[in-house]
C-alpha cells in the first residue's frame, strides 16, 4: 500500500530530476599535460536572468595552486541570460618537472573557485602525462597482435593487399569519443574530447594515432603502386580511386586524426549530410573496392567490406554518435559509452551489408572523380566544414 512517505519520496525525486543546474562548466574538470599547457574553460548559464560572477581565483590551500594561472587580462563580471563566458588557464611545466631541464613530470592539481551570484563553484585542475595505463597499453598490443595474426592466418584466402588495409581501418576507428575514468556521471563533448586525447581517460582505439587516416592512405598507395604490374587494371583503379576519395575526405575535414573527425560530428553533424559530396565519393569508391576484392573471392570481399565499413562509419556516420545519447545528455558516462559502442557495431554491420549487397555502378571511377572535383570546388568556394 502506498503511504505518505512514498509520495514524499517520489516528489523529492521528481524535484531533484527536474531542477537542472542553471550553470555548468565545459569541461567539468581541466586536464593539463606537457603538450596541453593552456586550456579553455566555458561557463554556460541556462537561466533567464544575468548571473553575476565574483572572486574568480585559485584555491591557495592546494599545494600546487601556484603552478596554474588565469591568463585572461580581464575577468568576466557576469554571464548574460542563456549565455556563456570563457576563461583560459595555463600551467607552468617547471613546477611539475622532477628535475631541472628534464622532460619527466609528476602529477598534481589545484582548484579554481568562483562565486556565481551567492553560490560557490569549484573546478578541478589536473596535471599529468598523457601515457595510457600499463594494462590498457598491453590490451591494445594484444588486440593489434590478434589483428596481425588474423591477416597472417588468412594469407591463403585473402591477399595481404586486401587484408592489411582492412585491419588498419579497424585499428584506427574510434569505438567512442573517449573513455573517461569518471564512469558514473554524465559528461559533455568537451570532457569526452579530453579523454579521447588521453587526458583524464583514454581513446577507445586499438591504434590511437593523430595521423591515422594518413597511415591508411599511405598503405593503400603502397599496396597499389608496387603491384601495378601484377594486378588487374580494375583492381588498380579501384585502389587509387579509394585513395583519392580518402584524400578528398581528409581535405574536407581538415584532419588526419580519426578522433578529431568523429568529435566534429557529435550532435548528429555527420559527414553524410554535412559533406555529402565527399561521403558519396567515399561510398562509391568503397563499392568499387569491394567489387575488385570479389573478383578474388567472396570471402576477400567480406574482409574488404568490413574494413571499409569501419572507415565509412568513422568519416561519414559519426562513429559512435547516436540520436538517443544526443537527445538524453544526462546519461551516466558508462551507459553512454555502452550505447555508443553498440551504435558503432550496428553502423559497421549495416554499412558492411550495404557494401556487399549493392553492386558497384559502371564507370564508378568517373563518378568518384566528378564527386571529388565537386567537393574541392565546394570547399574552395565556402571553406571546409560548411553544410550545403
Amino acid at each position: 500500500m502506498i503511504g505518505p512517505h512514498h509520495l514524499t519520496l517520489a516528489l523529492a525525486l521528481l524535484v531533484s530530476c527536474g531542477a537542472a543546474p542553471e550553470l555548468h562548466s565545459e569541461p567539468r574538470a581541466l586536464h593539463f599535460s606537457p603538450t596541453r599547457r593552456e586550456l579553455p574553460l566555458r561557463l554556460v548559464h541556462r537561466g533567464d536572468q544575468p548571473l553575476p560572477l565574483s572572486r574568480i581565483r585559485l584555491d591557495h590551500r592546494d599545494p600546487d595552486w601556484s603552478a596554474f594561472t588565469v591568463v585572461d587580462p580581464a575577468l568576466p563580471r557576469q554571464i548574460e541570460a542563456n549565455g556563456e563566458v570563457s576563461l583560459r588557464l595555463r600551467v607552468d611545466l617547471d613546477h611539475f618537472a622532477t628535475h631541472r631541464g628534464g622532460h619527466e613530470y609528476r602529477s598534481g592539481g589545484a582548484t579554481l573557485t568562483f562565486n556565481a551570484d551567492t553560490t560557490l563553484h569549484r573546478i578541478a585542475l589536473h596535471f599529468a602525462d598523457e601515457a595510457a595505463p600499463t594494462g590498457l597499453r598491453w590490451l591494445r598490443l594484444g588486440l593489434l597482435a590478434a589483428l596481425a595474426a588474423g591477416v597472417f592466418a588468412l594469407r591463403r584466402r585473402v591477399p595481404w593487399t586486401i587484408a592489411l588495409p582492412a585491419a588498419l581501418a579497424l585499428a584506427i576507428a574510434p569505438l567512442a569519443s573517449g573513455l573517461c575514468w569518471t564512469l558514473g556521471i554524465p559528461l559533455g563533448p568537451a570532457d569526452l574530447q579530453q579523454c579521447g586525447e588521453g587526458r583524464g581517460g583514454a581513446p577507445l582505439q586499438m591504434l590511437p594515432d593523430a595521423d591515422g587516416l594518413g597511415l591508411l592512405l599511405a598503405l593503400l598507395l603502397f599496396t597499389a603502386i608496387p603491384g601495378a604490374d601484377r594486378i588487374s587494371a580494375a583492381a588498380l583503379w579501384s585502389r587509387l580511386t579509394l585513395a583519392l576519395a580518402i584524400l578528398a575526405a581528409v581535405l574536407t575535414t581538415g584532419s588526419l586524426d580519426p578522433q578529431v573527425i568523429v568529435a566534429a560530428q557529435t550532435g548528429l553533424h555527420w559527414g553524410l549530410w554535412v559533406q555529402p559530396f565527399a561521403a558519396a565519393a567515399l561510398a562509391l569508391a568503397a563499392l568499387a573496392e569491394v567489387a575488385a576484392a570479389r573478383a578474388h573471392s567472396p570471402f576477400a570481399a567480406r574482409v574488404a567490406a568490413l574494413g571499409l565499413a569501419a572507415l565509412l562509419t568513422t568519416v561519414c556516420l559519426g562513429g559512435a554518435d547516436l540520436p538517443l545519447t544526443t537527445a538524453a545528455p544526462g546519461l551516466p558516462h558508462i551507459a553512454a559509452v555502452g550505447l555508443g559502442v553498440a551504435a558503432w557495431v550496428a553502423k559497421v554491420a549495416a554499412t558492411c551489408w550495404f557494401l556487399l549487397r549493392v553492386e558497384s555502378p559502371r564507370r564508378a571511377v568517373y563518378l568518384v572523380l566528378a564527386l571529388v572535383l565537386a567537393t574541392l570546388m565546394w570547399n574552395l568556394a565556402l571553406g571546409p566544414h560548411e553544410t550545403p
Side-chain angles (χ1 to χ4, degrees), residues 106-124:
R106 65 175 179 85
S107 300
T111 306
L112 177 73
T113 66
F114 61 91
N115 288 339
D117 199 359
T118 58
T119 304
L120 176 65
H121 292 262
R122 302 173 64 85
I123 307 296

Side-chain angles (χ1 to χ4, degrees), residues 49-136:
Q49 299 294 328
L51 184 66
L53 299 176
S54 62
R55 300 177 64 84
I56 302 175
R57 60 186 62 185
L58 294 158
D59 193 338
H60 289 197
R61 293 173 296 181
D62 296 322
D64 296 319
W65 72 271
S66 61
F68 299 90
T69 309
V70 180
V71 300
D72 299 85
L75 299 178
R77 298 296 183 89
Q78 71 174 16
I79 310 177
E80 299 300 328
N82 295 308
E84 64 180 58
V85 297
S86 294
L87 297 171
R88 294 199 69 85
L89 290 96
R90 181 182 298 158
V91 66
D92 179 15
L93 293 184
D94 293 336
H95 180 90
F96 294 102
T98 55
H99 57 278
R100 182 178 293 275
H103 298 285
E104 296 181 359
Y105 305 94
R106 65 175 179 85
S107 300
T111 306
L112 177 73
T113 66
F114 61 91
N115 288 339
D117 199 359
T118 58
T119 304
L120 176 65
H121 292 262
R122 302 173 64 85
I123 307 296
L125 311 177
H126 303 281
F127 176 85
D129 276 331
E130 297 178 1
T134 303
L136 185 59

Side-chain angles (χ1 to χ4, degrees), residues 340-352:
V341 172
W344 185 86
V345 171
K347 290 178 185 179
V348 170
T351 307
C352 188

Side-chain angles (χ1 to χ4, degrees), residues 42-258:
R42 294 172 60 227
L43 302 178
V44 182
H45 175 45
R46 296 305 182 206
D48 296 329
Q49 299 294 328
L51 184 66
L53 299 176
S54 62
R55 300 177 64 84
I56 302 175
R57 60 186 62 185
L58 294 158
D59 193 338
H60 289 197
R61 293 173 296 181
D62 296 322
D64 296 319
W65 72 271
S66 61
F68 299 90
T69 309
V70 180
V71 300
D72 299 85
L75 299 178
R77 298 296 183 89
Q78 71 174 16
I79 310 177
E80 299 300 328
N82 295 308
E84 64 180 58
V85 297
S86 294
L87 297 171
R88 294 199 69 85
L89 290 96
R90 181 182 298 158
V91 66
D92 179 15
L93 293 184
D94 293 336
H95 180 90
F96 294 102
T98 55
H99 57 278
R100 182 178 293 275
H103 298 285
E104 296 181 359
Y105 305 94
R106 65 175 179 85
S107 300
T111 306
L112 177 73
T113 66
F114 61 91
N115 288 339
D117 199 359
T118 58
T119 304
L120 176 65
H121 292 262
R122 302 173 64 85
I123 307 296
L125 311 177
H126 303 281
F127 176 85
D129 276 331
E130 297 178 1
T134 303
L136 185 59
R137 291 201 298 268
W138 280 108
L139 177 61
R140 284 177 181 155
L141 285 174
L143 292 174
L144 289 173
L147 272 180
V151 171
F152 181 78
L154 296 175
R155 67 190 185 281
R156 294 184 179 178
R157 301 182 62 187
V158 183
W160 69 272
T161 54
I162 295 175
L164 198 55
L168 180 58
L170 287 170
I172 65 173
L175 274 69
S177 298
L179 177 65
C180 303
W181 307 136
T182 50
L183 299 175
I185 62 175
L187 297 176
D191 300 277
L192 298 178
Q193 184 177 357
Q194 285 190 137
C195 299
E197 294 172 352
R199 294 178 290 121
L204 281 177
Q205 292 170 276
M206 283 183 273
L207 182 63
D209 192 287
D211 298 322
L213 280 184
L215 295 175
L216 180 59
L217 183 61
L219 181 60
L220 289 172
L221 293 175
F222 174 77
T223 56
I225 296 175
D229 58 339
R230 298 191 301 272
I231 62 177
S232 66
L236 175 62
W237 276 109
S238 69
R239 182 58 54 87
L240 295 178
T241 301
L242 178 61
L244 181 62
I246 294 176
L247 181 60
V250 167
L251 294 176
T252 297
T253 58
S255 176
L256 292 169
D257 190 343

